[in-house]
Amino acid sequence: MSVIYILISVSIVVAIVFFIAFISAVKSGQYDDSYTPSVRMLFEDELVKEDQEHNQKQQ
């Protein structure tokens, strides 16, 4: 029975460590996307043309 208490304690400690690592990665900007906005402006005209063609077909 004491082994279960040890395993639960170790798993909680590991979960806390991973949570702290995740929070620090988010705060340091690791998940910021700096590539997509620069590429989106290149394809914006194509999306507008497709929307206009789609709207013309519906009318």
Side-chain angles (χ1 to χ4, degrees):
M1 188 68 176
S2 63
V3 173
I4 293 175
Y5 295 131
I6 293 171
L7 289 175
I8 290 174
S9 304
V10 169
S11 65
I12 289 173
V13 169
V14 169
I16 290 171
V17 168
F18 278 112
F19 183 70
I20 291 171
F22 172 73
I23 295 297
S24 67
V26 168
K27 285 187 178 181
S28 70
Q30 182 133 11
Y31 292 110
D32 289 346
D33 186 15
S34 61
Y35 178 70
T36 302
S38 63
V39 174
R40 188 181 303 140
M41 70 177 209
L42 297 174
F43 298 109
E44 188 173 304
D45 292 337
E46 293 177 9
L47 294 175
V48 170
K49 287 178 186 177
E50 288 177 4
D51 287 342
Q52 288 175 350
E53 290 174 1
H54 187 270
N55 289 337
Q56 288 175 355
K57 288 179 182 179
Q58 287 181 349
Q59 294 175 356

